[in-house]
Amino acid sequence: MAEQADDLAEAVATFNQVRPRLMGIAYRMLGSHTEAEDLVQEVWLRWQAADRSAVQSPVAYLSTAVTRLAINASQSARARRETYIGPWLPEPVDTSADPTLGAERGEALSFAVLLVLERLSPTERAAYILREAFDYPYDELAAILQSTEPAVRQLVSRARKRIRAERRAEVSGSQQKKLLTAFVAAARSGDLKVLEQLLAKDAISYSDGGGAARASKFPVVGWSRVAKYVRAFHDRFWVGVEVEFGTANCQSVALLRRDGEVFTVLTVVASDEGIDEVLWIMNPAKLTAVA
């Protein structure tokens, strides 16, 4: 009995040590903190039931388990998102305490990269995340993905090219915060001229309400349309709103509160051309990790 208790205690200690990495992999794969937590719980159940005496490397075993589960889960998630009401945006996570979210570096955490990753195949996404965020060597990548080294190298290379092709080089964190602050002020006051000056010519505004909050069901495209769209609802949307600036996904965000409750996380993706994307995350189910 005592031996079983010691074995379980060791299993718990080992799992807790690796858990931040498992959360980091699962969140980057799914773009959802809630779904990532469920996945990590499933890995724990498997670890609990496993013949741990036969496991040479707990880190490799647990990383493989969470990656394969995440690949399957992301295939299901993609099918669900085809019927999602309005644009789908990643669930924001508070990275102020852990800016890398279990990784050796904060790669593949920004909203811009997560949105591009969503358009890759689940296997491409897994290869990119494990290599770029967690620095897995290619031989380990091949084992986790049940593939060959040349094949996983090609997966990572394809993902890198896709990400480079679909996003501009982002401005520094301080510049992004400056643009976000200016955008919030102009949106609140309905200053059309300032809004137009802040936005890149091909700017896009995405609003994720998921059918649970009033939000545009279609992206608004073009600097003039986005500016007029934001100005059109400024005298209603901002009434009674308190704004607090914080950090999510390693970038500045505005937490919008009404009656003390966060109802929107607002952020911008920006390049040297100005604000490229305005992201309004309003689905209440996606606000728990930052609220």
Side-chain angles (χ1 to χ4, degrees):
M1 205 67 174
E3 189 176 329
Q4 284 183 332
D6 289 344
D7 181 54
L8 183 58
E10 185 179 344
V12 170
T14 300
F15 185 83
N16 285 339
Q17 190 174 6
V18 184
R19 191 180 187 283
R21 175 177 293 214
L22 305 182
M23 274 298 296
I25 294 171
Y27 173 74
R28 287 168 172 82
M29 284 291 295
L30 301 174
S32 166
H33 188 268
T34 306
E35 291 176 18
E37 284 186 323
D38 291 343
L39 211 64
V40 171
Q41 180 63 22
E42 175 63 27
V43 175
W44 160 246
L45 294 175
R46 293 188 178 204
W47 178 240
Q48 214 177 359
D51 178 7
R52 293 183 295 276
S53 63
V55 176
Q56 293 182 343
S57 169
V59 174
Y61 176 94
L62 293 167
S63 297
T64 300
V66 79
T67 301
R68 291 181 185 171
L69 283 171
I71 287 172
N72 292 335
S74 62
Q75 289 168 337
S76 302
R78 176 169 288 184
R80 288 198 307 274
R81 285 165 195 166
E82 287 176 0
T83 59
Y84 192 82
I85 299 174
W88 178 92
L89 295 175
E91 180 181 346
V93 288
D94 183 358
T95 48
S96 57
D98 179 9
T100 59
L101 199 66
E104 294 180 12
R105 48 186 180 265
E107 184 60 44
L109 265 183
S110 73
F111 291 103
V113 173
L114 286 172
L115 284 169
V116 178
L117 288 178
E118 182 70 13
R119 296 192 281 273
L120 303 181
S121 74
T123 309
E124 281 178 326
R125 197 181 320 165
Y128 179 85
I129 288 165
L130 292 175
R131 180 64 184 171
E132 296 300 301
F134 295 87
D135 204 27
Y136 275 80
Y138 284 106
D139 59 338
E140 287 187 38
L141 262 181
I144 291 171
L145 298 177
Q146 297 177 302
S147 186
T148 64
E149 281 194 50
V152 295
R153 284 180 184 275
Q154 192 172 28
L155 286 172
V156 173
S157 176
R158 259 203 318 261
R160 284 174 179 158
K161 287 176 183 175
R162 182 81 179 267
I163 289 168
R164 281 198 299 267
E166 293 198 22
R167 56 186 284 262
R168 297 178 179 133
E170 293 182 49
V171 294
S172 67
S174 59
Q175 184 65 11
Q176 185 262 347
K177 183 176 182 179
K178 183 178 177 181
L179 286 167
L180 173 63
T181 305
F183 178 85
V184 169
R188 190 164 202 163
S189 65
D191 193 324
L192 185 63
K193 185 176 180 180
V194 173
L195 286 169
E196 290 176 338
Q197 290 171 346
L198 290 170
L199 295 163
K201 294 297 182 186
D202 54 356
I204 305 177
S205 175
Y206 297 99
S207 303
D208 181 345
R214 284 191 67 183
S216 174
K217 294 179 182 178
F218 302 96
V220 181
V221 182
W223 64 281
S224 180
R225 287 192 181 93
V226 173
K228 289 173 182 174
Y229 164 74
V230 173
R231 184 178 186 272
F233 60 75
H234 84 280
D235 55 348
R236 302 183 305 279
F237 180 84
W238 295 95
V239 174
V241 173
E242 296 176 358
V243 180
E244 177 190 349
F245 289 95
T247 303
N249 297 65
C250 298
Q251 64 191 77
S252 292
V253 299
L255 304 174
L256 309 187
R257 284 189 172 86
R258 189 178 283 124
D259 300 324
E261 297 289 328
V262 175
F263 72 98
T264 298
V265 173
L266 169 63
T267 191
V268 298
V269 177
S271 66
D272 287 339
E273 297 188 26
I275 294 173
D276 297 312
E277 296 174 340
V278 184
L279 309 179
W280 309 80
I281 302 163
M282 306 173 73
N283 186 341
K286 293 187 176 184
L287 303 178
T288 55
V290 291

